[in-house]
Amino acid sequence: MQRLELKNVNKVFGSGTNRVQALSQVNFEAKAGELTLILGPSGSGKSTLLTILGGLQQPTSGEVLINGNRFDGKRGKAADDFRLKHIGFVLQSYSLVPYLTVAEQFQLVDKVKKAGNLPPKQFDNDLNRLGITSLLDKYPGELSGGQSQRVAIARALYANPDFILADEPTAALDSARVQEVGRLLKDIAEKEEKAVVVVTHDLRLKEEADRIYQLVDGKISLEKS
Ligand SMILES: Nc1ncnc2c1ncn2[C@@H]1O[C@H](COP(=O)(O)OP(=O)(O)OP(=O)(O)O)[C@@H](O)[C@H]1O
Ligand SMILES: [Mg+2]
């Protein structure tokens, strides 16, 4: 069973008068088969938590565990390979490549990760559900915020990762789209046995969530499990 955990995680930025404690003694768990939501206002530490969970930055103290094994402190090629194969990120900034069309963003995934990506039929179905099939020839500069967001989600799904970590994936979407994206993420968690973690301040996603945490000033509490 795929499982992601944080144990007593603290994250401190800066020192002296610039010191910010972004995360305080955070304990957290996300499991395959579940859509886990972390709700919190701006500045509460959501992006910090998500990037620590996926190994993009390190905790100041505490442990990050993947399937029970320590993941914090892992650096270098083995850690990069693991991330590439097993973790899909949807970052707050979308991070699409400006000079590649939407279709080419996905082809780029094939170049960096040669095996295990979604078969065309399954991916077409995701593109349809995300409503971006007609955007394949467009460049990121020609997309709206909501369209870019859905392309970033599709790119993460395409690599077929075990863990999907999404930062505010619905911030730019209207309510109908939010519900569709919520259902899609829940379906992927349940039917494909993946652990999907979404950090957001979007309360509209609560309906679809299996497990809900609240994050306030870097402190986490479990609201629903
Ligand atoms: N690299 C950094 N250096 C210094 N402080 C940082 C850094 N990253 C985050 N912080 C601080 O940590 C706190 C949490 O930031 P974080 O980006 O995790 O919040 P967030 O919940 O994702 O906010 P938002 O909803 O606005 O994206 C904030 O006070 C922020 O200023
Ligand atoms: Mg953030």
Side-chain angles (χ1 to χ4, degrees):
M1 163 78 93
Q2 306 282 4
R3 204 165 78 244
L4 270 179
E5 290 166 280
L6 297 178
K7 286 204 195 299
N8 300 321
V9 161
N10 291 287
K11 181 67 179 179
V12 177
F13 293 109
S15 60
T17 50
N18 290 322
R19 187 179 189 278
V20 176
Q21 175 126 18
L23 298 175
S24 302
Q25 290 298 111
V26 167
N27 287 295
F28 167 85
E29 183 183 23
K31 289 186 207 151
E34 292 186 350
L35 171 57
T36 301
L37 215 58
I38 302 172
L39 290 170
S42 181
S44 58
K46 300 184 299 296
S47 298
T48 304
L49 190 157
L50 197 79
T51 48
I52 287 178
L53 203 53
L56 295 180
Q57 61 175 330
Q58 297 298 324
T60 305
S61 64
E63 300 181 359
V64 182
L65 300 169
I66 297 189
N67 303 332
N69 300 315
R70 284 294 282 274
F71 187 56
D72 56 282
K74 287 245 162 65
R75 281 165 222 254
K77 190 166 165 13
D80 290 345
D81 277 353
F82 182 88
R83 238 192 334 264
L84 182 68
K85 286 195 187 127
H86 300 284
I87 304 179
F89 290 97
V90 183
L91 295 176
Q92 208 165 5
S93 53
Y94 315 142
S95 55
L96 302 177
V97 185
Y99 52 85
L100 296 181
T101 64
V102 169
E104 288 166 345
Q105 312 278 336
F106 307 137
Q107 289 157 13
L108 182 62
V109 176
D110 284 322
K111 285 200 183 129
V112 248
K113 176 171 171 284
K114 295 195 162 47
N117 300 322
L118 286 187
K121 243 201 186 138
Q122 198 178 340
F123 189 51
D124 282 349
N125 184 46
D126 288 350
L127 292 177
N128 259 322
R129 287 187 68 175
L130 288 165
I132 54 176
T133 309
S134 62
L135 305 176
L136 288 171
D137 293 330
K138 291 201 186 289
Y139 288 91
E142 301 173 295
L143 303 176
S144 71
Q147 290 170 336
S148 306
Q149 197 142 47
R150 285 177 278 141
V151 171
I153 295 170
R155 185 182 52 185
L157 300 182
Y158 179 55
N160 200 16
D162 297 318
F163 305 100
I164 296 166
L165 307 182
D167 198 342
E168 300 277 6
T170 57
L173 304 183
D174 59 63
S175 292
R177 289 272 186 227
V178 170
Q179 209 175 27
E180 183 57 35
V181 168
R183 285 205 198 109
L184 176 63
L185 292 174
K186 188 182 172 74
D187 279 355
I188 285 167
E190 285 179 358
K191 295 184 185 145
E192 296 167 35
E193 272 292 301
K194 297 184 188 302
V196 182
V197 180
V198 173
V199 303
T200 187
H201 58 251
D202 196 338
L203 301 176
R204 297 173 295 183
L205 282 168
K206 283 179 90 166
E207 228 173 282
E208 264 73 47
D210 299 296
R211 180 185 288 258
I212 302 176
Y213 288 91
Q214 294 278 356
L215 189 64
V216 180
D217 290 336
K219 298 186 180 74
I220 204 165
S221 55
L222 188 60
E223 176 184 313
K224 174 192 167 191
S225 66

